[in-house]
Amino acid sequence: LAFREDERAGDAELRWRVERLDRECAILEGRLAFREDEKTRELMAMREKETADAARRVKKSIWHFATSLKRRALLAWVLELDEATRRKRLLRKALARMRMRTLSDSFEGWLEFRRKAKEQRLERKVAELERRAAAAEAAEVAAQRDRDDARREAEDKAAALAEAEAREAEARREVATIRGEDAEPWS
């Protein structure tokens, strides 16, 4: 029985060691898998960087090639210009100059027309202002005449009123003497 207990104790210890080793193996396998994934990611990043660098170099070389091709084409075009093309360019320039001269003359004519139109407009305004001033002066003379007539009429009415009041006062005195007393008319 003691042997069995020792055996069982040994089995339990062995089981415990196996389980511990399993756990350690699982941990190590996890670490190994993580490191492999990390190395794979680094390798992929390096490949992507190399691919991007290569694409950039190819793009740059394409740009240089296209630019040099354009330069060569421009040089060939310039070298191949013949006398007729040069004459056409010169004739186009001369025509453009003539058009500019015509346009300049037209513009100067328009400016002259505008200046004359402005002068005429100002002359019309001056004439209108003179006409208004004459009308205002005539209206002022008429108003002065009307004031003088109104003043004379007011003086005539005032004189007539004063004369009527004097006649009324005279009539009241006569009525008072006829009554025999100097009493007030309302009494």
Side-chain angles (χ1 to χ4, degrees), residues 155-169:
E155 287 173 354
D156 291 346
K157 284 184 181 180
L161 183 64
E163 190 179 308
E165 286 177 351
R167 279 195 310 255
E168 180 185 357

PDB file of all heavy atoms in Angstrom, residues 155-169:
ATOM      1  N   GLU A 155     -53.495 148.234 -47.099  1.00  0.00           N
ATOM      2  CA  GLU A 155     -53.530 149.629 -46.637  1.00  0.00           C
ATOM      3  C   GLU A 155     -54.872 150.262 -46.956  1.00  0.00           C
ATOM      4  O   GLU A 155     -55.443 151.001 -46.131  1.00  0.00           O
ATOM      5  CB  GLU A 155     -52.395 150.437 -47.307  1.00  0.00           C
ATOM      6  CG  GLU A 155     -51.012 150.101 -46.771  1.00  0.00           C
ATOM      7  CD  GLU A 155     -49.910 150.787 -47.583  1.00  0.00           C
ATOM      8  OE1 GLU A 155     -50.214 151.424 -48.620  1.00  0.00           O
ATOM      9  OE2 GLU A 155     -48.735 150.650 -47.173  1.00  0.00           O
ATOM     10  N   ASP A 156     -55.397 149.973 -48.180  1.00  0.00           N
ATOM     11  CA  ASP A 156     -56.715 150.507 -48.556  1.00  0.00           C
ATOM     12  C   ASP A 156     -57.793 149.974 -47.624  1.00  0.00           C
ATOM     13  O   ASP A 156     -58.658 150.726 -47.151  1.00  0.00           O
ATOM     14  CB  ASP A 156     -57.059 150.134 -50.006  1.00  0.00           C
ATOM     15  CG  ASP A 156     -56.170 150.861 -51.014  1.00  0.00           C
ATOM     16  OD1 ASP A 156     -55.487 151.826 -50.607  1.00  0.00           O
ATOM     17  OD2 ASP A 156     -56.138 150.425 -52.198  1.00  0.00           O
ATOM     18  N   LYS A 157     -57.744 148.661 -47.319  1.00  0.00           N
ATOM     19  CA  LYS A 157     -58.747 148.068 -46.420  1.00  0.00           C
ATOM     20  C   LYS A 157     -58.600 148.646 -45.019  1.00  0.00           C
ATOM     21  O   LYS A 157     -59.599 148.914 -44.343  1.00  0.00           O
ATOM     22  CB  LYS A 157     -58.611 146.549 -46.389  1.00  0.00           C
ATOM     23  CG  LYS A 157     -59.168 145.880 -47.625  1.00  0.00           C
ATOM     24  CD  LYS A 157     -59.092 144.373 -47.494  1.00  0.00           C
ATOM     25  CE  LYS A 157     -59.635 143.726 -48.761  1.00  0.00           C
ATOM     26  NZ  LYS A 157     -59.586 142.304 -48.709  1.00  0.00           N
ATOM     27  N   ALA A 158     -57.372 148.854 -44.568  1.00  0.00           N
ATOM     28  CA  ALA A 158     -57.151 149.419 -43.235  1.00  0.00           C
ATOM     29  C   ALA A 158     -57.678 150.843 -43.187  1.00  0.00           C
ATOM     30  O   ALA A 158     -58.313 151.251 -42.189  1.00  0.00           O
ATOM     31  CB  ALA A 158     -55.662 149.375 -42.885  1.00  0.00           C
ATOM     32  N   ALA A 159     -57.449 151.599 -44.278  1.00  0.00           N
ATOM     33  CA  ALA A 159     -57.960 152.973 -44.309  1.00  0.00           C
ATOM     34  C   ALA A 159     -59.479 152.959 -44.322  1.00  0.00           C
ATOM     35  O   ALA A 159     -60.132 153.750 -43.621  1.00  0.00           O
ATOM     36  CB  ALA A 159     -57.421 153.706 -45.534  1.00  0.00           C
ATOM     37  N   ALA A 160     -60.064 152.034 -45.135  1.00  0.00           N
ATOM     38  CA  ALA A 160     -61.520 151.945 -45.196  1.00  0.00           C
ATOM     39  C   ALA A 160     -62.063 151.529 -43.842  1.00  0.00           C
ATOM     40  O   ALA A 160     -63.101 152.047 -43.377  1.00  0.00           O
ATOM     41  CB  ALA A 160     -61.946 150.945 -46.277  1.00  0.00           C
ATOM     42  N   LEU A 161     -61.407 150.614 -43.151  1.00  0.00           N
ATOM     43  CA  LEU A 161     -61.841 150.162 -41.836  1.00  0.00           C
ATOM     44  C   LEU A 161     -61.746 151.304 -40.825  1.00  0.00           C
ATOM     45  O   LEU A 161     -62.674 151.521 -40.028  1.00  0.00           O
ATOM     46  CB  LEU A 161     -60.985 148.963 -41.382  1.00  0.00           C
ATOM     47  CG  LEU A 161     -61.363 148.324 -40.068  1.00  0.00           C
ATOM     48  CD1 LEU A 161     -62.749 147.719 -40.137  1.00  0.00           C
ATOM     49  CD2 LEU A 161     -60.337 147.294 -39.665  1.00  0.00           C
ATOM     50  N   ALA A 162     -60.619 152.036 -40.892  1.00  0.00           N
ATOM     51  CA  ALA A 162     -60.456 153.164 -39.962  1.00  0.00           C
ATOM     52  C   ALA A 162     -61.539 154.209 -40.224  1.00  0.00           C
ATOM     53  O   ALA A 162     -62.117 154.792 -39.291  1.00  0.00           O
ATOM     54  CB  ALA A 162     -59.074 153.777 -40.121  1.00  0.00           C
ATOM     55  N   GLU A 163     -61.830 154.437 -41.502  1.00  0.00           N
ATOM     56  CA  GLU A 163     -62.884 155.400 -41.857  1.00  0.00           C
ATOM     57  C   GLU A 163     -64.237 154.912 -41.365  1.00  0.00           C
ATOM     58  O   GLU A 163     -65.036 155.686 -40.814  1.00  0.00           O
ATOM     59  CB  GLU A 163     -62.884 155.568 -43.384  1.00  0.00           C
ATOM     60  CG  GLU A 163     -63.744 156.690 -43.884  1.00  0.00           C
ATOM     61  CD  GLU A 163     -63.646 156.793 -45.398  1.00  0.00           C
ATOM     62  OE1 GLU A 163     -62.524 156.853 -45.928  1.00  0.00           O
ATOM     63  OE2 GLU A 163     -64.709 156.786 -46.022  1.00  0.00           O
ATOM     64  N   ALA A 164     -64.499 153.583 -41.501  1.00  0.00           N
ATOM     65  CA  ALA A 164     -65.772 153.015 -41.049  1.00  0.00           C
ATOM     66  C   ALA A 164     -65.865 153.104 -39.534  1.00  0.00           C
ATOM     67  O   ALA A 164     -66.933 153.422 -38.979  1.00  0.00           O
ATOM     68  CB  ALA A 164     -65.899 151.565 -41.505  1.00  0.00           C
ATOM     69  N   GLU A 165     -64.775 152.874 -38.814  1.00  0.00           N
ATOM     70  CA  GLU A 165     -64.793 152.972 -37.361  1.00  0.00           C
ATOM     71  C   GLU A 165     -65.022 154.422 -36.922  1.00  0.00           C
ATOM     72  O   GLU A 165     -65.750 154.689 -35.951  1.00  0.00           O
ATOM     73  CB  GLU A 165     -63.469 152.447 -36.781  1.00  0.00           C
ATOM     74  CG  GLU A 165     -63.352 150.938 -36.827  1.00  0.00           C
ATOM     75  CD  GLU A 165     -62.004 150.456 -36.321  1.00  0.00           C
ATOM     76  OE1 GLU A 165     -61.103 151.278 -36.086  1.00  0.00           O
ATOM     77  OE2 GLU A 165     -61.858 149.227 -36.158  1.00  0.00           O
ATOM     78  N   ALA A 166     -64.408 155.334 -37.669  1.00  0.00           N
ATOM     79  CA  ALA A 166     -64.608 156.756 -37.335  1.00  0.00           C
ATOM     80  C   ALA A 166     -66.064 157.140 -37.549  1.00  0.00           C
ATOM     81  O   ALA A 166     -66.661 157.845 -36.741  1.00  0.00           O
ATOM     82  CB  ALA A 166     -63.687 157.622 -38.189  1.00  0.00           C
ATOM     83  N   ARG A 167     -66.677 156.646 -38.658  1.00  0.00           N
ATOM     84  CA  ARG A 167     -68.095 156.940 -38.912  1.00  0.00           C
ATOM     85  C   ARG A 167     -68.973 156.317 -37.834  1.00  0.00           C
ATOM     86  O   ARG A 167     -69.933 156.922 -37.377  1.00  0.00           O
ATOM     87  CB  ARG A 167     -68.497 156.384 -40.286  1.00  0.00           C
ATOM     88  CG  ARG A 167     -68.080 157.293 -41.422  1.00  0.00           C
ATOM     89  CD  ARG A 167     -68.804 156.911 -42.694  1.00  0.00           C
ATOM     90  NE  ARG A 167     -68.726 155.506 -43.001  1.00  0.00           N
ATOM     91  CZ  ARG A 167     -67.964 154.963 -43.931  1.00  0.00           C
ATOM     92  NH1 ARG A 167     -67.212 155.729 -44.667  1.00  0.00           N
ATOM     93  NH2 ARG A 167     -67.961 153.681 -44.113  1.00  0.00           N
ATOM     94  N   GLU A 168     -68.623 155.093 -37.416  1.00  0.00           N
ATOM     95  CA  GLU A 168     -69.410 154.429 -36.380  1.00  0.00           C
ATOM     96  C   GLU A 168     -69.312 155.204 -35.067  1.00  0.00           C
ATOM     97  O   GLU A 168     -70.306 155.403 -34.369  1.00  0.00           O
ATOM     98  CB  GLU A 168     -68.916 152.987 -36.187  1.00  0.00           C
ATOM     99  CG  GLU A 168     -69.690 152.232 -35.124  1.00  0.00           C
ATOM    100  CD  GLU A 168     -69.117 150.858 -34.843  1.00  0.00           C
ATOM    101  OE1 GLU A 168     -68.132 150.453 -35.508  1.00  0.00           O
ATOM    102  OE2 GLU A 168     -69.643 150.199 -33.952  1.00  0.00           O
ATOM    103  N   ALA A 169     -68.090 155.656 -34.722  1.00  0.00           N
ATOM    104  CA  ALA A 169     -67.905 156.414 -33.486  1.00  0.00           C
ATOM    105  C   ALA A 169     -68.702 157.711 -33.563  1.00  0.00           C
ATOM    106  O   ALA A 169     -69.348 158.135 -32.583  1.00  0.00           O
ATOM    107  CB  ALA A 169     -66.421 156.695 -33.258  1.00  0.00           C
TER     108      ALA A 169
END
